[in-house]
Amino acid sequence: MEAPFQRARRPEQKDQRREYILATAGRLALNSGVARVSLGDIAAAVGLAKSNILRYFGTREEIYLQLMMREGDDWAAAASAALQQANGFSATATALADAYADRPLYCDLTTHAETMLEHNVSVAALRVYKLWAIDTYFTVGRQITAACPQLTDADGASLVMAASAFVAKLFPLSRPPEALRQLYDLEPEIARVFPPLRPTLQRMIAATAAGLPATH
């Protein structure tokens, strides 16, 4: 996506520029990680001053909250489609885990949602985001209860929340910094403590799902 104009004057040009900023921020995050991308990095890649970026988004964090919702809609659609074919805890866990593992940008955004992206944003932006998150939890949660009749709709929403918490812990372990990579090469027994993302996430979600009926 490109913004071929120097100055966005018409509404459609402003919308195009917003899309270009979001796409650029997403590309930078995929390459470097959300935590390592500054507002200056985004501005330089887009070809605008930081002050101009702030005409479209209040802060860097707001840019990534917007991306969180977009990527989350894509995740929810994929998870819901897979859940329509699922039956039981294991298949449900696989549907959720696969939807996460196939979307590294959403995993990274999920990792930083509460610790970074919900900071330095307006109350209005937070309200939009939180209402979206609640709707997503319960929308996917209802698909979970269809696949697992032992669970209530509240259980389904709780399982989605638990899955996101597991992702926030496990995803960074699957992307170790260079020093850790060197340590793992030198001492593989340490690396074995941190198993791969997809199967570990699937197992943890399945175990949580199986335990939820006991809490009723």
Side-chain angles (χ1 to χ4, degrees):
M1 180 186 298
E2 294 184 359
F5 42 84
Q6 291 298 315
R7 187 171 298 174
R9 293 186 175 88
R10 299 194 300 271
E12 63 271 20
Q13 290 179 327
K14 293 179 180 179
D15 289 343
Q16 185 178 346
R17 176 139 291 164
R18 283 177 61 88
E19 294 297 320
Y20 185 52
I21 293 169
L22 286 170
T24 300
R27 174 175 55 80
L28 292 173
L30 272 175
N31 290 338
S32 303
V34 171
R36 295 183 179 88
V37 180
S38 68
L39 182 63
D41 294 330
I42 298 170
V46 171
L48 293 173
K50 287 192 290 185
S51 59
N52 287 334
I53 297 290
L54 296 179
R55 294 179 181 177
Y56 297 89
F57 300 93
T59 62
R60 164 197 176 274
E61 289 75 16
E62 186 178 324
I63 294 172
Y64 282 114
L65 274 187
Q66 288 285 330
L67 272 177
M68 178 82 176
M69 291 186 282
R70 290 193 176 198
E71 294 294 316
D73 285 342
D74 181 63
W75 172 86
S80 295
L83 285 166
Q84 290 176 10
Q85 310 300 320
N87 183 17
F89 296 142
S90 180
T92 293
T94 297
L96 296 177
D98 284 348
Y100 272 115
D102 291 340
R103 290 163 178 79
L105 177 56
Y106 186 52
C107 288
D108 197 11
L109 290 163
T110 297
T111 296
H112 297 293
E114 284 79 19
T115 59
M116 181 187 299
L117 303 185
E118 292 183 5
H119 300 255
N120 194 34
V121 292
S122 68
V123 172
L126 279 175
R127 182 178 186 275
V128 170
Y129 170 69
K130 284 300 189 181
L131 289 176
W132 168 85
I134 292 168
D135 181 68
T136 300
Y137 294 153
F138 279 93
T139 298
V140 178
R142 285 189 288 271
Q143 294 288 340
I144 291 172
T145 57
C148 304
Q150 308 96 316
L151 303 181
T152 67
D153 285 350
D155 289 335
S158 294
L159 189 62
V160 177
M161 293 177 67
S164 68
F166 294 144
V167 168
K169 177 64 177 179
L170 293 171
F171 183 75
L173 296 176
S174 71
R175 300 291 193 278
E178 182 57 33
L180 268 182
R181 290 180 187 276
Q182 294 177 20
L183 175 63
Y184 293 161
D185 289 340
L186 292 170
E187 302 189 44
E189 65 276 10
I190 295 178
R192 281 193 288 271
V193 176
F194 307 107
L197 174 66
R198 191 185 303 261
T200 308
L201 183 57
Q202 190 276 335
R203 187 169 66 253
M204 295 175 78
I205 295 172
T208 302
L212 281 170
T215 65
H216 295 165

